[in-house]
Amino acid sequence: MDEFSIRPARVEDTRRIGAVGHQAWLKGICPYVCPEVRERIAPKTFELFARTHTNQVIVAEGDGNLFGFAATEDGDNYISDLWVAPDFEGYGIGTALLSALEEIIADRGYGTARLEVLTDNQRAVSLYRYLGYRIVRQGMRKDKVLCVTLHKTLMQKAV
């Protein structure tokens, strides 16, 4: 893979963000939820999110491809989204997106970055721990997008 860069999302990115988010969701989250939940999530789910939160989304792109995106949905220190297209995992894209969001969060005046991950998604938990995040809390929480209660791990890191 060639070089990639991180930049703020634009409205014209929303369709590609939808496709990348859905591909990543199918690989990373879909195996942990019931069939009824799987049916509710589609590329349009991510596209709508990107369209309504464009100013809070950053993307990784290169060679005309969008490789991944990340967001702080409410413009605070909570990282609500980090998605990398499965074909481009392992190239440092997720780490670069996370690092860029941590800088944005620090520039906003926050001393920590926070995120939440499915506890069963040990691959993600391990990555975040490797990148300096520590577990703050684990337990059952209702996911506002999926509308189901899941076991989640809240993590944070000083920025």
Side-chain angles (χ1 to χ4, degrees):
M1 185 184 81
D2 292 331
E3 299 282 320
F4 64 90
S5 60
I6 308 292
R7 65 163 174 81
R10 299 185 294 255
V11 172
E12 57 267 22
D13 295 322
T14 57
R15 184 174 306 266
R16 294 188 306 159
I17 288 170
V20 166
H22 190 248
Q23 291 166 9
W25 186 85
L26 286 173
K27 181 178 179 188
I29 306 300
C30 190
Y32 303 108
V33 297
C34 65
E36 295 80 31
V37 172
R38 291 180 198 146
E39 292 172 10
R40 288 197 304 257
I41 304 300
K44 286 281 186 197
T45 308
F46 295 91
E47 189 175 332
L48 178 61
F49 170 81
R51 189 172 307 283
T52 57
H53 296 87
T54 307
N55 63 338
Q56 299 301 328
V57 178
I58 59 174
V59 299
E61 71 171 359
D63 250 358
N65 294 307
L66 194 134
F67 301 126
F69 73 95
T72 56
E73 182 175 343
D74 295 324
D76 56 12
N77 69 329
Y78 181 75
I79 298 168
S80 59
D81 291 84
L82 177 61
W83 303 100
V84 175
D87 289 347
F88 298 103
E89 290 179 354
Y91 293 101
I93 294 165
T95 300
L97 285 164
L98 193 60
S99 178
L101 275 186
E102 290 167 358
E103 280 186 41
I104 291 168
I105 289 167
D107 288 347
R108 291 176 180 159
Y110 292 98
T112 60
R114 299 178 315 120
L115 54 83
E116 196 168 55
V117 64
L118 286 177
T119 304
D120 286 341
N121 189 349
Q122 284 302 302
R123 186 169 175 237
V125 172
S126 295
L127 172 66
Y128 294 132
R129 290 185 80 170
Y130 175 78
L131 296 174
Y133 284 78
R134 65 177 182 81
I135 295 173
V136 174
R137 179 183 69 234
Q138 291 184 315
M140 300 300 288
R141 263 180 46 87
K142 185 162 186 173
D143 186 285
K144 70 179 183 175
V145 174
L146 302 178
C147 300
V148 293
T149 301
L150 300 165
H151 198 278
K152 294 191 167 195
T153 298
L154 178 66
M155 304 179 84
Q156 77 178 23
K157 174 184 177 180
V159 294

